[in-house]
Amino acid sequence: MSTRTVDPLSFRRVPLTVFVLLVLAAVLAGIWPIAGLLATWVPALIVPEAAGLPSLIPPLRLWPLGGTTWAFWLSDTVGALVMLAIAAVQLRAATTKRPDPGPGRAFGTAVGATTLAIIGGNLVRSVFLSFAVNADLGTYLGQVVAGVAVSALTGALLGCLVGAVAAVVAAVRRSPAADAAPDAAPAPAAVPVIE
């Protein structure tokens, strides 16, 4: 039985970077002047919504857009919060297993966490949309399967961008210059973990 120490309160630099980038993506997806401008210049971004699926990234907004109802706003908000919760759990598990990942592992962790988080957030929104339009069982299953497929593709593409940033952060973190910082703070108290 091996033992190692894990700080229960640490949320290290790489997972924090991934989480902040996901929050930023959700907020940017919720700001209509930005999302509307992107939809105008890249109309392919609104194809899922035109097909009755949720938008690509669950948006995080303070209030509903234009003529949408509070129920749709609530489903978007819950979807974004579920996305962030899944990402936090995935990143925390990865941090517990490998506290100081290399660039490759940081990239893979970011892609995986982003993909699963977007699938989870959009799954909540797909279920709400199917109830909002009173879909029958076949339509419901089709929406869920198509929503998961589109979300997986979106999560993988966004995850590559987030993963690239996470890999850079991990590479900078592991550089000898970063380890030899003279003003480094002492390590926080650690709790032993028995595996």
Side-chain angles (χ1 to χ4, degrees):
M1 192 166 21
S2 66
T3 62
R4 60 192 164 87
T5 57
V6 176
D7 181 15
L9 300 176
S10 74
F11 203 62
R12 299 190 186 271
R13 188 176 294 176
V14 171
L16 184 62
T17 301
V18 173
F19 188 79
V20 167
L21 288 174
L22 281 175
V23 170
L24 182 67
V27 169
L28 288 177
I31 297 174
W32 181 247
I34 294 172
L37 182 68
L38 280 173
T40 301
W41 288 99
V42 187
L45 294 176
I46 57 172
V47 168
E49 292 178 69
L53 300 173
S55 57
L56 298 177
I57 300 171
L60 193 56
R61 299 183 181 102
L62 295 177
W63 54 82
L65 278 180
T68 59
T69 64
W70 285 93
F72 280 93
W73 171 80
L74 185 63
S75 76
D76 287 344
T77 304
V78 169
L81 293 176
V82 165
M83 175 184 76
L84 296 175
I86 290 172
V89 168
Q90 289 290 322
L91 295 169
R92 183 67 182 150
T95 302
T96 302
K97 188 173 182 181
R98 303 244 189 229
D100 196 19
R105 190 170 299 274
F107 178 82
T109 299
V111 171
T114 303
T115 303
L116 286 175
I118 288 181
I119 288 172
N122 280 339
L123 190 61
V124 169
R125 297 168 65 224
S126 290
V127 170
F128 171 77
L129 285 174
S130 68
F131 281 109
V133 299
N134 294 324
D136 62 349
L137 183 61
T139 307
Y140 167 74
L141 292 176
Q143 278 185 322
V144 168
V145 169
V148 167
V150 169
S151 298
L153 180 63
T154 303
L157 292 174
L158 180 64
C160 286
L161 293 174
V162 172
V165 174
V168 169
V169 169
V172 168
R173 176 75 179 119
R174 296 189 92 168
S175 69
D179 292 336
D183 58 338
V191 177
V193 176
I194 300 174
E195 294 183 28

